[in-house]
Amino acid sequence: MKIAFHGAARVVTGSKHLITLSNNTKILLDCGMFQGMGEVTDHLNGYFGFTPSEVNYMVLSHAHIDHCGLLPRLVAEGFTGPVYCTPATMDLTRILLMDSAKIQMQDAEYLNRKRKEGQPIEEPLYTEDDVVKTLGQFKVVDYDTDFEINAQISLRLTDAGHILGSAAVHLTLQDEGKTTKLTFSGDVGRYGDLLLKSPQNFAQADYIVMESTYGDSLHKDLEPIENMLYEIINQTCNIKKGKVIIPAFSVGRTQELLYALNSLELKHKLPDVAYYVDSPLSEKATQVLKDHPEVYNNGVKEVMKVDHDVFSFKGLRFIETVEESKALNNDPRPCVIISASGMAEGGRVRHHIRNNIGNQKNTILMVGYCEPNSLGGKLLAGNKVVYIFREEYQVIAEVRSIRSMSAHGDYEDLLHFLGGQDPARVKQLFLVHGEYPVQQHFAQRLNDHGFKQVLIPQLHQEIEL
């Protein structure tokens, strides 16, 4: 039995982990898109490192694009097997992949209009037709259910607390007369999340594939999110009379922002300005979350006793059309614009940043992890010049961040997630989904907690289990 790491290896994005049994049965864990990797992004997304038609089964941990975003490409290149995931993940993936295809087609069209003579024609990775075909291969599996894929493979999904529907994947594999239990963490959420329940404990594993995005960070002891939002919005909109532009992932982060802003209103502290969510996908994702109240933690359930809609407040408006989105750039009035994507790598938010980055009255507020080579990552790093749609822009607007707004657990959360495991019985723990220096620090921390066999695989590295 072997496992190969074809994405999220010493980087955060592009999740793809391929298990091959001795009879050549292949199980793919996630099929994510690389995001924000600079000039190599297109190459990474264009090469799987394996043959899609040879994959028999696919398990999807959750709906974020860096975990599901290349599924239509996988299908287009020959994968015909089932895709297993939770019901909520299927609901979210449907809207995310359709949106991803639409954005890619729109961005390709925009760049081709701007294309200079001699430059190659931009092609989208996949189309909406590819997405429709892919969704036909989805099979839902409920949390805490032992699901037999075949005589050799049993699947169990537990709540990872990361986003709606997110799961840790637990496989029981019968191979050459031996039983092996392998756990893939997916992305691990936070204990004490604003909205969601905490990650579940899970049974002892022989091998663990573990995310490590914040393996050297602690989120606690930071200023509460509501306080920071109030300070930034008040300073920018009421005092400087500018705009706050917030790149935010449509699933998870946008809903957390809306919940925090709603909390400010309940406390009569919400600044009296216009609030726009400029992402049709975010509106759909918010509705999906409203349709699954069973995922809310007890704190949210208490608020719902006095406020039936915890994602709505005075002054909030969802923007639908491109024309309405463009009109925001011509409106000089102070406002808050929340728009996807979170790393500012695609969608309408890049247009908003481009139109507001040159004015010192404005603030660009980053609220989550950004790949260092992404536009968001470069803004967070303090770059004074950035490129947007291949054009150079001076960074005159103020750039702020709220570090505590992350759907990823910090190193204490990750260690808590592993708390039910006997380290001596874990034969190997693979660290994925993290920057290499962060992973090295976390590997040492794991060693100190008894996990002596920790490996940080390289891209496309294959390991015998």
Side-chain angles (χ1 to χ4, degrees), residues 60-120:
L60 176 59
S61 67
H62 66 285
H64 275 150
I65 287 295
D66 62 326
H67 291 258
C68 74
L70 285 184
L71 262 171
R73 177 96 178 192
L74 188 80
V75 169
E77 292 191 18
F79 172 67
T80 59
V83 178
Y84 298 106
C85 65
T86 65
T89 291
M90 186 176 76
D91 290 346
L92 285 176
T93 302
R94 178 185 293 111
I95 61 173
L96 278 161
L97 289 180
M98 289 301 285
D99 186 73
S100 174
K102 187 175 182 180
I103 286 174
Q104 288 179 66
M105 294 166 73
Q106 288 174 342
D107 283 355
E109 181 186 359
Y110 178 85
L111 289 170
N112 284 329
R113 287 203 309 269
K114 299 280 187 178
R115 184 171 62 96
K116 297 176 182 176
E117 190 174 345
Q119 287 183 325

Side-chain angles (χ1 to χ4, degrees), residues 11 18 71 87 177 184 186 206 209 228 255 323 328 336 366 385 409 411 441:
V11 295
L18 185 65
L71 262 171
F184 168 44
D206 300 306
V209 180
M228 293 193 70
Q255 289 75 38
E323 290 71 27
L328 293 180
V336 176
M366 308 305 300
V385 176
Y411 69 72
H441 286 127

Side-chain angles (χ1 to χ4, degrees), residues 143-412:
Y143 286 130
D144 303 316
T145 301
D146 291 315
F147 181 86
E148 188 175 283
I149 291 177
N150 66 16
Q152 280 188 289
I153 308 164
S154 179
L155 168 67
R156 188 178 182 87
L157 303 176
T158 57
D159 193 342
H162 174 61
I163 62 168
L164 173 65
S166 62
V169 176
H170 314 283
L171 294 172
T172 302
L173 306 167
Q174 308 293 337
D175 193 48
E176 296 187 316
K178 183 176 67 173
T179 300
T180 299
K181 292 186 178 292
L182 183 146
T183 285
F184 168 44
S185 69
D187 283 348
V188 180
R190 301 175 61 182
Y191 294 81
D193 183 81
L194 268 181
L195 297 173
L196 304 178
K197 296 176 182 176
S198 294
Q200 285 181 261
N201 291 332
F202 59 97
Q204 182 67 45
D206 300 306
Y207 297 93
I208 299 174
V209 180
M210 180 78 180
E211 76 113 324
S212 53
T213 307
Y214 282 107
D216 66 349
S217 299
L218 275 178
H219 298 322
K220 70 178 185 180
D221 298 326
L222 297 172
E223 190 172 351
I225 292 166
E226 292 174 24
N227 294 356
M228 293 193 70
L229 281 172
Y230 171 80
E231 184 269 320
I232 292 167
I233 295 169
N234 185 59
Q235 174 70 22
T236 303
C237 297
N238 289 338
I239 297 175
K240 294 197 295 182
K241 305 300 181 185
K243 296 181 180 181
V244 179
I245 310 298
I246 310 179
F249 291 112
S250 297
V251 175
R253 193 74 71 257
T254 293
Q255 289 75 38
E256 285 188 5
L257 283 165
L258 296 180
Y259 181 74
L261 292 168
N262 181 67
S263 296
L264 284 173
E265 183 184 54
L266 291 176
K267 296 172 183 176
H268 308 291
K269 291 178 61 179
L270 184 69
D272 186 15
V273 297
Y275 296 83
Y276 299 102
V277 176
D278 186 16
S279 166
L281 175 63
S282 294
E283 184 173 15
K284 293 174 184 175
T286 302
Q287 186 57 53
V288 172
L289 186 55
K290 289 179 181 179
D291 291 341
H292 289 271
E294 72 277 3
V295 306
Y296 300 154
N297 61 37
N298 289 333
V300 178
K301 290 176 181 176
E302 285 299 311
V303 174
M304 291 181 71
K305 291 178 181 178
V306 297
D307 184 357
H308 74 282
D309 189 346
V310 295
F311 304 112
S312 184
F313 48 87
K314 180 183 176 183
L316 175 64
R317 181 181 163 198
F318 286 88
I319 297 296
E320 290 287 340
T321 68
V322 173
E323 290 71 27
E324 289 176 305
S325 177
K326 289 179 178 177
L328 293 180
N329 292 313
N330 298 321
D331 189 337
R333 291 174 294 181
C335 67
V336 176
I337 301 174
I338 302 168
S339 186
S341 71
M343 296 189 196
E345 278 297 289
R348 295 178 181 178
V349 76
R350 281 199 294 178
H351 295 276
H352 291 304
I353 292 174
R354 181 185 64 177
N355 283 286
N356 290 281
I357 199 169
N359 191 328
Q360 63 182 359
K361 293 192 302 183
N362 300 328
T363 299
I364 300 168
L365 174 60
M366 308 305 300
V367 292
Y369 175 82
C370 288
E371 183 70 36
N373 288 314
S374 66
L375 175 56
K378 290 173 181 176
L379 290 169
L380 280 172
N383 289 23
K384 298 303 181 185
V385 176
V386 294
Y387 286 85
I388 306 172
F389 295 117
R390 298 175 181 165
E391 295 179 4
E392 183 179 294
Y393 290 86
Q394 299 288 322
V395 182
I396 308 299
E398 184 176 8
V399 177
R400 298 282 301 272
S401 68
I402 301 181
R403 289 181 54 234
S404 57
M405 282 204 76
S406 175
H408 287 267
D410 59 22
Y411 69 72
E412 285 193 350

